Amino acid sequence: AVVSTQSTGESQARVALKKCDNNLERAADWVFTHPDELEEEEPVSAGEGVRDGTGRYRLRALISHIGSSTSCGHYVCHIRSPESGQWTLYNDEKVAVSVKPPKGLAYLYLFERM
């Protein structure tokens, strides 16, 4: 899923993961260093080669923008603690509990596999 959001389709992301033994970091790099090999899409059956858990994810962090427009303001990050489930807001040098993170207004969502 993460590889397929970086300007490649799902089938090309599957090819990259297959070529890199399902290592996400290597596959993301492979996508950019082997663009000519992504033209030919290899069919991959569902679940083939998946060895690192179920397909269930939970939201771990999000990045949102504070400001009246994209030309003013800045970005902040909300991160959920895996131990307590509590959200924390990281705003430059300020760190505080995030009571109600803007889950529907983020620019980037980060998930972790359960």
Side-chain angles (χ1 to χ4, degrees):
V2 174
V3 178
S4 69
T5 63
Q6 299 177 1
S7 74
T8 65
E10 181 179 345
S11 59
Q12 289 131 343
R14 289 182 184 275
V15 170
L17 286 167
K18 186 175 182 180
K19 298 270 186 185
C20 298
D21 297 320
N22 288 317
N23 181 305
L24 184 59
E25 291 172 4
R26 286 181 38 220
D29 182 60
W30 189 91
V31 164
F32 294 108
T33 57
H34 297 81
D36 52 323
E37 294 182 47
L38 288 174
E39 307 267 340
E40 298 176 22
E41 299 179 3
E42 294 180 25
V44 179
S45 64
E48 181 181 328
V50 177
R51 298 184 301 266
D52 61 347
T54 67
R56 293 184 54 207
Y57 297 84
R58 78 175 139 218
L59 184 61
R60 177 66 191 275
L62 57 97
I63 297 174
S64 61
H65 183 264
I66 295 176
S68 57
S69 74
T70 55
S71 59
C72 67
H74 66 281
Y75 294 90
V76 297
C77 183
H78 299 259
I79 301 176
R80 187 183 54 79
S81 166
E83 292 84 24
S84 68
Q86 179 178 347
W87 287 89
T88 303
L89 168 65
Y90 295 87
N91 180 356
D92 294 334
E93 294 177 2
K94 277 188 188 175
V95 177
V97 171
S98 179
V99 178
K100 195 173 180 182
K103 294 178 186 174
L105 302 172
Y107 282 88
L108 178 67
Y109 296 89
L110 301 158
F111 293 86
E112 66 180 336
R113 185 172 277 192
M114 296 175 61

mmCIF file with all atom_site columns, all heavy atoms in Angstrom, residues 22 47 49-57 112-114:
data_model
loop_
_atom_site.group_PDB
_atom_site.id
_atom_site.type_symbol
_atom_site.label_atom_id
_atom_site.label_alt_id
_atom_site.label_comp_id
_atom_site.label_asym_id
_atom_site.label_entity_id
_atom_site.label_seq_id
_atom_site.pdbx_PDB_ins_code
_atom_site.Cartn_x
_atom_site.Cartn_y
_atom_site.Cartn_z
_atom_site.occupancy
_atom_site.B_iso_or_equiv
_atom_site.pdbx_formal_charge
_atom_site.auth_seq_id
_atom_site.auth_comp_id
_atom_site.auth_asym_id
_atom_site.auth_atom_id
_atom_site.pdbx_PDB_model_num
ATOM 1   N N   . ASN A 1 22  ? 9.683  -8.799  -0.214 1.00 0.00 ? 22  ASN A N   1
ATOM 2   C CA  . ASN A 1 22  ? 8.689  -8.135  0.641  1.00 0.00 ? 22  ASN A CA  1
ATOM 3   C C   . ASN A 1 22  ? 9.284  -7.156  1.648  1.00 0.00 ? 22  ASN A C   1
ATOM 4   O O   . ASN A 1 22  ? 8.654  -6.840  2.645  1.00 0.00 ? 22  ASN A O   1
ATOM 5   C CB  . ASN A 1 22  ? 7.798  -9.157  1.352  1.00 0.00 ? 22  ASN A CB  1
ATOM 6   C CG  . ASN A 1 22  ? 6.843  -9.809  0.390  1.00 0.00 ? 22  ASN A CG  1
ATOM 7   O OD1 . ASN A 1 22  ? 6.258  -9.131  -0.440 1.00 0.00 ? 22  ASN A OD1 1
ATOM 8   N ND2 . ASN A 1 22  ? 6.702  -11.112 0.495  1.00 0.00 ? 22  ASN A ND2 1
ATOM 9   N N   . GLY A 1 47  ? -2.129 -12.673 -1.503 1.00 0.00 ? 47  GLY A N   1
ATOM 10  C CA  . GLY A 1 47  ? -1.489 -13.307 -0.367 1.00 0.00 ? 47  GLY A CA  1
ATOM 11  C C   . GLY A 1 47  ? -0.154 -13.974 -0.678 1.00 0.00 ? 47  GLY A C   1
ATOM 12  O O   . GLY A 1 47  ? 0.525  -14.432 0.209  1.00 0.00 ? 47  GLY A O   1
ATOM 13  N N   . GLY A 1 49  ? 3.482  -14.628 -0.931 1.00 0.00 ? 49  GLY A N   1
ATOM 14  C CA  . GLY A 1 49  ? 4.684  -14.050 -0.365 1.00 0.00 ? 49  GLY A CA  1
ATOM 15  C C   . GLY A 1 49  ? 4.488  -13.182 0.858  1.00 0.00 ? 49  GLY A C   1
ATOM 16  O O   . GLY A 1 49  ? 5.441  -12.630 1.359  1.00 0.00 ? 49  GLY A O   1
ATOM 17  N N   . VAL A 1 50  ? 3.278  -13.026 1.348  1.00 0.00 ? 50  VAL A N   1
ATOM 18  C CA  . VAL A 1 50  ? 3.057  -12.193 2.530  1.00 0.00 ? 50  VAL A CA  1
ATOM 19  C C   . VAL A 1 50  ? 3.399  -13.012 3.765  1.00 0.00 ? 50  VAL A C   1
ATOM 20  O O   . VAL A 1 50  ? 2.770  -14.014 4.051  1.00 0.00 ? 50  VAL A O   1
ATOM 21  C CB  . VAL A 1 50  ? 1.594  -11.696 2.598  1.00 0.00 ? 50  VAL A CB  1
ATOM 22  C CG1 . VAL A 1 50  ? 1.361  -10.904 3.864  1.00 0.00 ? 50  VAL A CG1 1
ATOM 23  C CG2 . VAL A 1 50  ? 1.269  -10.864 1.384  1.00 0.00 ? 50  VAL A CG2 1
ATOM 24  N N   . ARG A 1 51  ? 4.433  -12.563 4.475  1.00 0.00 ? 51  ARG A N   1
ATOM 25  C CA  . ARG A 1 51  ? 4.899  -13.317 5.626  1.00 0.00 ? 51  ARG A CA  1
ATOM 26  C C   . ARG A 1 51  ? 4.942  -12.488 6.902  1.00 0.00 ? 51  ARG A C   1
ATOM 27  O O   . ARG A 1 51  ? 5.446  -12.937 7.908  1.00 0.00 ? 51  ARG A O   1
ATOM 28  C CB  . ARG A 1 51  ? 6.301  -13.855 5.351  1.00 0.00 ? 51  ARG A CB  1
ATOM 29  C CG  . ARG A 1 51  ? 6.379  -14.809 4.189  1.00 0.00 ? 51  ARG A CG  1
ATOM 30  C CD  . ARG A 1 51  ? 7.783  -15.370 4.057  1.00 0.00 ? 51  ARG A CD  1
ATOM 31  N NE  . ARG A 1 51  ? 8.780  -14.329 3.858  1.00 0.00 ? 51  ARG A NE  1
ATOM 32  C CZ  . ARG A 1 51  ? 9.236  -13.907 2.685  1.00 0.00 ? 51  ARG A CZ  1
ATOM 33  N NH1 . ARG A 1 51  ? 8.769  -14.429 1.587  1.00 0.00 ? 51  ARG A NH1 1
ATOM 34  N NH2 . ARG A 1 51  ? 10.131 -12.957 2.594  1.00 0.00 ? 51  ARG A NH2 1
ATOM 35  N N   . ASP A 1 52  ? 4.446  -11.271 6.847  1.00 0.00 ? 52  ASP A N   1
ATOM 36  C CA  . ASP A 1 52  ? 4.636  -10.405 8.003  1.00 0.00 ? 52  ASP A CA  1
ATOM 37  C C   . ASP A 1 52  ? 3.340  -9.978  8.681  1.00 0.00 ? 52  ASP A C   1
ATOM 38  O O   . ASP A 1 52  ? 3.218  -8.885  9.169  1.00 0.00 ? 52  ASP A O   1
ATOM 39  C CB  . ASP A 1 52  ? 5.465  -9.186  7.610  1.00 0.00 ? 52  ASP A CB  1
ATOM 40  C CG  . ASP A 1 52  ? 4.805  -8.348  6.540  1.00 0.00 ? 52  ASP A CG  1
ATOM 41  O OD1 . ASP A 1 52  ? 3.838  -8.829  5.940  1.00 0.00 ? 52  ASP A OD1 1
ATOM 42  O OD2 . ASP A 1 52  ? 5.261  -7.227  6.323  1.00 0.00 ? 52  ASP A OD2 1
ATOM 43  N N   . GLY A 1 53  ? 2.346  -10.845 8.701  1.00 0.00 ? 53  GLY A N   1
ATOM 44  C CA  . GLY A 1 53  ? 1.143  -10.544 9.466  1.00 0.00 ? 53  GLY A CA  1
ATOM 45  C C   . GLY A 1 53  ? -0.094 -10.399 8.614  1.00 0.00 ? 53  GLY A C   1
ATOM 46  O O   . GLY A 1 53  ? -0.083 -10.618 7.409  1.00 0.00 ? 53  GLY A O   1
ATOM 47  N N   . THR A 1 54  ? -1.154 -10.021 9.276  1.00 0.00 ? 54  THR A N   1
ATOM 48  C CA  . THR A 1 54  ? -2.445 -9.886  8.606  1.00 0.00 ? 54  THR A CA  1
ATOM 49  C C   . THR A 1 54  ? -2.511 -8.563  7.858  1.00 0.00 ? 54  THR A C   1
ATOM 50  O O   . THR A 1 54  ? -1.645 -7.717  7.990  1.00 0.00 ? 54  THR A O   1
ATOM 51  C CB  . THR A 1 54  ? -3.581 -9.907  9.636  1.00 0.00 ? 54  THR A CB  1
ATOM 52  O OG1 . THR A 1 54  ? -3.485 -8.727  10.441 1.00 0.00 ? 54  THR A OG1 1
ATOM 53  C CG2 . THR A 1 54  ? -3.518 -11.126 10.524 1.00 0.00 ? 54  THR A CG2 1
ATOM 54  N N   . GLY A 1 55  ? -3.554 -8.369  7.116  1.00 0.00 ? 55  GLY A N   1
ATOM 55  C CA  . GLY A 1 55  ? -3.761 -7.130  6.385  1.00 0.00 ? 55  GLY A CA  1
ATOM 56  C C   . GLY A 1 55  ? -4.527 -6.104  7.197  1.00 0.00 ? 55  GLY A C   1
ATOM 57  O O   . GLY A 1 55  ? -5.222 -5.278  6.634  1.00 0.00 ? 55  GLY A O   1
ATOM 58  N N   . ARG A 1 56  ? -4.409 -6.134  8.500  1.00 0.00 ? 56  ARG A N   1
ATOM 59  C CA  . ARG A 1 56  ? -5.104 -5.176  9.360  1.00 0.00 ? 56  ARG A CA  1
ATOM 60  C C   . ARG A 1 56  ? -4.120 -4.104  9.816  1.00 0.00 ? 56  ARG A C   1
ATOM 61  O O   . ARG A 1 56  ? -3.006 -4.404  10.230 1.00 0.00 ? 56  ARG A O   1
ATOM 62  C CB  . ARG A 1 56  ? -5.693 -5.880  10.582 1.00 0.00 ? 56  ARG A CB  1
ATOM 63  C CG  . ARG A 1 56  ? -6.813 -6.840  10.196 1.00 0.00 ? 56  ARG A CG  1
ATOM 64  C CD  . ARG A 1 56  ? -7.468 -7.457  11.388 1.00 0.00 ? 56  ARG A CD  1
ATOM 65  N NE  . ARG A 1 56  ? -7.913 -6.399  12.297 1.00 0.00 ? 56  ARG A NE  1
ATOM 66  C CZ  . ARG A 1 56  ? -8.050 -6.557  13.601 1.00 0.00 ? 56  ARG A CZ  1
ATOM 67  N NH1 . ARG A 1 56  ? -7.806 -7.724  14.155 1.00 0.00 ? 56  ARG A NH1 1
ATOM 68  N NH2 . ARG A 1 56  ? -8.461 -5.567  14.361 1.00 0.00 ? 56  ARG A NH2 1
ATOM 69  N N   . TYR A 1 57  ? -4.562 -2.844  9.721  1.00 0.00 ? 57  TYR A N   1
ATOM 70  C CA  . TYR A 1 57  ? -3.722 -1.713  10.087 1.00 0.00 ? 57  TYR A CA  1
ATOM 71  C C   . TYR A 1 57  ? -4.466 -0.804  11.050 1.00 0.00 ? 57  TYR A C   1
ATOM 72  O O   . TYR A 1 57  ? -5.678 -0.809  11.102 1.00 0.00 ? 57  TYR A O   1
ATOM 73  C CB  . TYR A 1 57  ? -3.362 -0.899  8.832  1.00 0.00 ? 57  TYR A CB  1
ATOM 74  C CG  . TYR A 1 57  ? -2.547 -1.671  7.843  1.00 0.00 ? 57  TYR A CG  1
ATOM 75  C CD1 . TYR A 1 57  ? -3.150 -2.507  6.909  1.00 0.00 ? 57  TYR A CD1 1
ATOM 76  C CD2 . TYR A 1 57  ? -1.170 -1.581  7.840  1.00 0.00 ? 57  TYR A CD2 1
ATOM 77  C CE1 . TYR A 1 57  ? -2.400 -3.224  5.997  1.00 0.00 ? 57  TYR A CE1 1
ATOM 78  C CE2 . TYR A 1 57  ? -0.410 -2.296  6.937  1.00 0.00 ? 57  TYR A CE2 1
ATOM 79  C CZ  . TYR A 1 57  ? -1.034 -3.111  6.015  1.00 0.00 ? 57  TYR A CZ  1
ATOM 80  O OH  . TYR A 1 57  ? -0.293 -3.827  5.124  1.00 0.00 ? 57  TYR A OH  1
ATOM 81  N N   . GLU A 1 112 ? 0.247  1.442   10.995 1.00 0.00 ? 112 GLU A N   1
ATOM 82  C CA  . GLU A 1 112 ? 1.112  0.327   11.359 1.00 0.00 ? 112 GLU A CA  1
ATOM 83  C C   . GLU A 1 112 ? 0.308  -0.952  11.231 1.00 0.00 ? 112 GLU A C   1
ATOM 84  O O   . GLU A 1 112 ? -0.895 -0.968  11.463 1.00 0.00 ? 112 GLU A O   1
ATOM 85  C CB  . GLU A 1 112 ? 1.666  0.479   12.780 1.00 0.00 ? 112 GLU A CB  1
ATOM 86  C CG  . GLU A 1 112 ? 0.624  0.402   13.871 1.00 0.00 ? 112 GLU A CG  1
ATOM 87  C CD  . GLU A 1 112 ? 1.220  0.569   15.245 1.00 0.00 ? 112 GLU A CD  1
ATOM 88  O OE1 . GLU A 1 112 ? 2.410  0.305   15.431 1.00 0.00 ? 112 GLU A OE1 1
ATOM 89  O OE2 . GLU A 1 112 ? 0.470  0.991   16.147 1.00 0.00 ? 112 GLU A OE2 1
ATOM 90  N N   . ARG A 1 113 ? 0.978  -2.003  10.822 1.00 0.00 ? 113 ARG A N   1
ATOM 91  C CA  . ARG A 1 113 ? 0.315  -3.291  10.694 1.00 0.00 ? 113 ARG A CA  1
ATOM 92  C C   . ARG A 1 113 ? 0.109  -3.862  12.082 1.00 0.00 ? 113 ARG A C   1
ATOM 93  O O   . ARG A 1 113 ? 0.973  -3.820  12.929 1.00 0.00 ? 113 ARG A O   1
ATOM 94  C CB  . ARG A 1 113 ? 1.162  -4.245  9.860  1.00 0.00 ? 113 ARG A CB  1
ATOM 95  C CG  . ARG A 1 113 ? 0.441  -5.550  9.600  1.00 0.00 ? 113 ARG A CG  1
ATOM 96  C CD  . ARG A 1 113 ? 1.191  -6.388  8.627  1.00 0.00 ? 113 ARG A CD  1
ATOM 97  N NE  . ARG A 1 113 ? 0.831  -5.920  7.291  1.00 0.00 ? 113 ARG A NE  1
ATOM 98  C CZ  . ARG A 1 113 ? 1.134  -6.570  6.197  1.00 0.00 ? 113 ARG A CZ  1
ATOM 99  N NH1 . ARG A 1 113 ? 1.811  -7.678  6.254  1.00 0.00 ? 113 ARG A NH1 1
ATOM 100 N NH2 . ARG A 1 113 ? 0.773  -6.093  5.032  1.00 0.00 ? 113 ARG A NH2 1
ATOM 101 N N   . MET A 1 114 ? -1.063 -4.407  12.311 1.00 0.00 ? 114 MET A N   1
ATOM 102 C CA  . MET A 1 114 ? -1.403 -4.980  13.627 1.00 0.00 ? 114 MET A CA  1
ATOM 103 C C   . MET A 1 114 ? -0.968 -6.428  13.687 1.00 0.00 ? 114 MET A C   1
ATOM 104 O O   . MET A 1 114 ? -0.826 -7.099  12.736 1.00 0.00 ? 114 MET A O   1
ATOM 105 C CB  . MET A 1 114 ? -2.897 -4.876  13.862 1.00 0.00 ? 114 MET A CB  1
ATOM 106 C CG  . MET A 1 114 ? -3.343 -3.429  13.923 1.00 0.00 ? 114 MET A CG  1
ATOM 107 S SD  . MET A 1 114 ? -5.127 -3.215  14.050 1.00 0.00 ? 114 MET A SD  1
ATOM 108 C CE  . MET A 1 114 ? -5.501 -4.024  15.555 1.00 0.00 ? 114 MET A CE  1
#
